[in-house]
Amino acid sequence: SCLCGSAPCLLCGCCPSAKNSTISRLLFTLFLFLGTLVSIIMIIPGVEKELHKLPGFCEGSGSVLGVQTHVDCSSFLGHKAVYRMGFAMAAFFFLFAVLTVCVRSSRDPRAALHNGFWFLKFLVLVGITVGAFYIPDGAFTSVWFYFGVVGSFLFILIQLVLLIDLAHSWSQRWLRNADEGSARGWYAALCTVTFIFYAASIAALALLYIYYTKPEGCTEGKAFISINLILCLIVSIVSILPKIQEAHPHSGLLQASLITLYTIYVTWSALANVPSQRCNPTLLVRNSTGSATAAEPPTAWWDAPSIVGLVIFSLCTLFISLRSSDHPQVNKLMLTEESGAGAGAAAAEEGGVRRAYDNEQDGVCYNYSFFHLCLLLAALYIMMTLTNWYRPDESLQVLRSPWTAVWVKISSSWAGLLLYLWTLVAPLVLPDRDFS
């Protein structure tokens, strides 16, 4: 019954005071991480070479409605596998997003689909994954690439919302501690962390100018770095203006330094996708055999921006799963208001022993459908990250980095800076609204 019953039953032994809402989010996140792990394994060069042995993955994979399209089976097996794994995870979470639309409390029969039947859910995910590997090549990779681009852009925006919320909560908490305790120590910590963030940002900017630009040419790289540098300076200055400080007393350089550092990372990630070997020394070039071109040394999929992106993805996904924001506006935006947080608390004790309990009998603590949509976008983001946002060219013989990836990442960095700037000026623009 623990495998097919409710979420509290599954972990009640090791988590005696766990909430139903928290356990369900953790288990769905575990499914996402499991799919991510499988994707990572499939793109490892040694495993990639063996994927042609999967039944139906190569033989006949290029046929559509019985018509052979002559797709080279040996081309980018790891790339194909990651795309199909991403499709399977996206389809899995989309299914549950549809099934849990407008679930208001755990009394809704559909809530059991979200909070229980975990073994059956695992079988469904496995079934969808197996079926995804029988999708004909045809135009699947090209079409699914654009789904991945759009989903990744939206997930980057979610990351930015969470990062801005984290920055504001961090600053407010330390300033509150400074008011209540040793002010000198907390202010020293605040200044130290801010200095480290800005120092890291300046060092990263210098390295970007050194490695991703040239005295002659590389105009796009110079423009992207310079524009983001100017925008980061603007938001840093705005954050400490007297008018902003009056309307937003907890704003300061800590938030601006963290946003600046993340913006520099996104800029680095974008420049790592510039399709020019001269302006992008980290560009990976692979032909259909998985080896590099004759002029280039063999390369692997892993590069530094992808590794950092994988770490940030993991932290943001856990953030979505484990906690609600300290700010009501963010809870409303992310649909994670603890509306039913206290419900069912009386059932937490059984015979004097604290047990896992259903805390959503009067109302759900988060929007089930939106949570699954966030995981769907996370699955698309990790799919694009593991494949470096690359796609096959027209001949299906070489994987290349398109300008689409560069513009999506740069646009997301601008969107993040504008969003942070709006959190600073909103109290002045809309004085009648409560932004406490």
Side-chain angles (χ1 to χ4, degrees):
S1 64
C2 281
L3 287 177
C4 298
S6 63
C9 179
L10 186 61
L11 295 179
C12 62
C14 58
C15 301
S17 60
K19 298 177 181 178
N20 180 69
S21 59
T22 302
I23 295 176
S24 295
R25 283 183 283 186
L26 280 176
L27 290 175
F28 275 113
T29 303
L30 180 63
F31 281 175
L32 177 63
F33 285 161
L34 179 62
T36 302
L37 178 61
V38 173
S39 299
I40 293 173
I41 292 174
M42 286 182 171
I43 210 169
I44 294 175
V47 176
E48 181 182 11
K49 295 178 181 178
E50 302 297 323
L51 288 176
H52 69 278
K53 297 179 182 179
L54 289 177
F57 186 44
C58 274
E59 184 178 355
S61 65
S63 62
V64 182
L65 299 178
V67 179
Q68 187 67 25
T69 56
H70 303 290
V71 176
D72 183 7
C73 173
S74 64
S75 301
F76 323 120
L77 292 177
H79 185 277
K80 294 178 183 178
V82 172
Y83 265 51
R84 280 156 176 76
M85 194 68 218
F87 175 83
M89 290 192 292
F92 176 77
F93 292 120
F94 179 76
L95 172 64
F96 281 95
V98 172
L99 291 176
T100 57
V101 170
C102 297
V103 173
R104 302 301 183 190
S105 71
S106 60
R107 294 188 176 93
D108 191 313
R110 291 176 297 154
L113 296 175
H114 178 80
N115 295 316
F117 305 102
W118 294 103
F119 183 67
L120 296 180
K121 288 176 184 174
F122 177 75
L123 294 181
V124 169
L125 179 58
V126 171
I128 295 175
T129 303
V130 172
F133 277 81
Y134 286 89
I135 297 176
D137 277 326
F140 170 77
T141 301
S142 300
V143 173
W144 194 240
F145 170 82
Y146 289 104
F147 277 91
V149 166
V150 174
S152 299
F153 177 77
L154 295 176
F155 187 74
I156 291 174
L157 293 183
I158 292 176
Q159 285 184 338
L160 289 165
V161 170
L162 297 177
L163 186 69
I164 293 171
D165 174 52
L166 173 64
H168 283 301
S169 298
W170 188 353
S171 177
Q172 288 178 10
R173 193 164 299 168
W174 280 19
L175 291 175
R176 191 182 306 119
N177 291 340
D179 293 336
E180 297 174 354
S182 175
R184 182 177 298 179
W186 285 108
Y187 282 122
L190 199 69
C191 293
T192 301
V193 172
T194 302
F195 173 79
I196 291 174
F197 285 164
Y198 273 124
S201 300
I202 294 172
L205 280 169
L207 293 175
L208 291 182
Y209 274 116
I210 292 172
Y211 288 103
Y212 290 93
T213 64
K214 300 292 182 183
E216 299 293 334
C218 301
T219 306
E220 296 87 356
K222 295 176 183 176
F224 292 150
I225 299 173
S226 300
I227 290 173
N228 280 357
L229 171 59
I230 294 171
L231 292 176
C232 289
L233 287 174
I234 291 174
V235 297
S236 298
I237 294 172
V238 170
S239 67
I240 56 175
L241 291 177
K243 287 288 185 180
I244 299 295
Q245 290 289 315
E246 291 177 9
H248 201 313
H250 291 104
S251 69
L253 291 178
L254 176 63
Q255 299 98 309
S257 64
L258 183 58
I259 299 302
T260 297
L261 185 60
Y262 183 79
T263 301
I264 300 306
Y265 156 71
V266 176
T267 307
W268 173 37
S269 180
L271 294 175
N273 276 109
V274 171
S276 170
Q277 194 74 49
R278 181 172 179 270
C279 302
N280 179 13
T282 59
L283 184 68
L284 304 179
V285 180
R286 290 187 53 175
N287 61 20
S288 61
T289 62
S291 61
T293 59
E296 297 296 330
T299 56
W301 274 115
W302 301 104
D303 60 355
S306 297
I307 295 173
V308 175
L310 187 62
V311 172
I312 295 175
F313 152 80
S314 302
L315 295 176
C316 287
T317 307
L318 287 174
F319 191 92
I320 293 171
S321 303
L322 289 176
R323 72 180 292 269
S324 297
S325 171
D326 295 334
H327 300 95
Q329 289 100 347
V330 177
N331 281 331
K332 291 177 182 178
L333 179 64
M334 298 297 294
L335 304 181
T336 54
E337 249 186 318
E338 294 286 346
S339 58
E349 295 191 10
E350 297 179 6
V353 179
R354 290 195 59 83
R355 310 285 292 182
Y357 62 95
D358 180 6
N359 64 318
E360 298 181 305
Q361 292 180 4
D362 294 334
V364 295
C365 295
Y366 57 99
N367 186 295
Y368 289 175
S369 291
F370 185 79
F371 172 72
H372 288 297
L373 288 177
C374 286
L375 295 187
L376 186 157
L377 299 177
L380 295 177
Y381 174 81
I382 200 61
M383 178 188 77
M384 300 303 292
T385 300
L386 292 179
T387 58
N388 293 92
W389 297 65
Y390 286 15
R391 66 176 179 183
D393 63 358
E394 292 77 7
S395 65
L396 301 178
Q397 296 301 309
V398 180
L399 279 177
R400 299 191 183 279
S401 177
W403 275 103
T404 306
V406 180
W407 281 107
V408 166
K409 293 180 180 181
I410 287 295
S411 299
S412 66
S413 70
W414 295 340
L417 288 170
L418 290 176
L419 183 62
Y420 173 63
L421 185 62
W422 170 250
T423 65
L424 297 177
V425 303
L428 297 177
V429 177
L430 302 173
D432 296 332
R433 292 188 58 182
D434 180 19
F435 289 98
S436 59

